[in-house]
Amino acid sequence: PPSPGLLAGVNITSPSALVRGTAGKAALLSVRYASASPDKPVVKWQLKRDKPVTVVQSIGTEIIGNLRPDYRDRIRVLENGSLLISPLQLADEGAYEVEVSITDDTFTGEKTINLTVDIPISKPQVLVASSTVLELSEFFTLNCSHENGTKPTYTWLKDGRPLSNDSRLLLSPDQKILTITRVLMADDDVYSCLVENPISHGRSIPVKLTVYRRSSLYIILSTGGIFLLVTLVTVCACWKPSK
């Protein structure tokens, strides 16, 4: 009968199927393998694309052949078959498949690890055209702006809590710009935005919005102003300079 070692083949484990990397830093795609054979493994890492790209092949930690120019000086294979990439580039993002073979290709173990590569979010700020609005007659727009950061997602906060759904709230498709239409007194508050991506998050300094009430005093003042203007025009039209 065949020996139990050959039946077992190669068993690969990985502590994490997802690694979140930062551009310019290092990422370790960590695996371990178990084998009944004392021989050094043949390790092959591929980046899954439409057509798989071979990142590296090694016998143990010794790299076989020449690395592609874009991987040169950035790739190491560790004792346990793990792949160390440093420094990371945005183009390194993707699904990596490792294949560990011992002696005979029929005894092969495989594992896939997904790597994301991102640039951290820089401090966001909320930009407003005007910080004062008149109740019922106006709308206001808030723009969440930040210089750096890949794959950003935006959350708008009112008094530190996420904004609830309201038919007066209009969000741009990427949710970066918030417009509140037909402003109510309840909108008089502080607003901030939270920006997140797989490796970081940033929150803006709150911006205070002041809403002025359309009070009866405002109506009296405006109608009084029109009455005064009409009176002045009438007086000017009727007045003739004396000779």
Side-chain angles (χ1 to χ4, degrees):
S3 69
L6 290 178
L7 283 177
V10 178
N11 180 34
I12 301 185
T13 57
S14 173
S16 175
L18 175 64
V19 175
R20 300 192 189 283
T22 302
K25 297 196 174 173
L28 179 64
L29 307 189
S30 182
V31 292
R32 289 194 173 279
Y33 71 89
S35 161
S37 168
D39 293 349
K40 281 187 176 178
V42 175
V43 180
K44 182 181 184 181
W45 281 94
Q46 286 190 314
L47 178 54
K48 289 178 169 176
R49 295 275 191 251
D50 294 335
K51 191 180 171 197
V53 174
T54 298
V55 177
V56 66
Q57 289 191 80
S58 70
I59 296 174
T61 58
E62 291 293 314
I63 292 171
I64 307 167
N66 293 323
L67 291 173
R68 290 162 53 99
D70 46 330
Y71 289 130
R72 217 162 279 156
D73 302 324
R74 296 198 303 122
I75 298 291
R76 274 179 63 200
V77 179
L78 308 185
E79 284 289 344
N80 52 14
S82 299
L83 178 68
L84 181 67
I85 308 173
S86 178
L88 279 176
Q89 298 174 0
L90 290 176
D92 293 328
E93 181 165 288
Y96 287 76
E97 185 180 76
V98 62
E99 198 177 88
V100 177
S101 318
I102 312 273
T103 313
D104 187 332
D105 281 348
T106 49
F107 304 110
T108 298
E110 288 181 352
K111 201 81 188 167
T112 298
I113 297 177
N114 287 297
L115 171 67
T116 63
V117 183
D118 284 288
I119 294 167
I121 300 286
S122 56
K123 177 84 175 172
Q125 60 174 333
V126 175
L127 305 176
V128 285
S130 170
S131 60
T132 59
V133 279
L134 187 64
E135 182 192 23
L136 298 174
S137 67
E138 293 185 74
F139 66 88
F140 72 95
T141 296
L142 301 168
N143 185 346
C144 186
S145 172
H146 57 101
E147 284 187 12
N148 302 320
T150 46
K151 303 193 206 70
T153 60
Y154 302 91
T155 305
W156 284 97
L157 309 169
K158 177 181 177 181
D159 194 23
R161 289 183 293 276
L163 275 175
S164 52
N165 279 343
D166 187 322
S167 59
R168 297 182 303 112
L169 304 182
L170 305 176
L171 282 166
S172 61
D174 59 7
Q175 302 196 324
K176 190 175 189 252
I177 298 169
L178 168 72
T179 302
I180 299 187
T181 60
R182 200 169 172 275
V183 175
L184 303 177
M185 288 308 296
D187 298 325
D188 187 294
D189 214 321
V190 290
Y191 295 83
S192 55
C193 70
L194 175 66
V195 191
E196 298 170 280
N197 77 357
I199 56 163
S200 63
H201 63 271
R203 189 164 161 176
S204 71
I205 294 169
V207 166
K208 174 74 175 86
L209 181 84
T210 303
V211 181
Y212 288 107
R213 197 178 288 281
R214 283 179 74 88
S215 60
S216 50
L217 176 66
Y218 168 78
I219 295 163
I220 290 163
L221 280 172
S222 55
T223 50
I226 292 164
F227 174 74
L228 184 63
L229 186 67
V230 169
T231 309
L232 279 171
V233 169
T234 312
V235 167
C236 289
C238 300
W239 181 70
K240 285 179 184 165
S242 53
K243 290 177 183 174

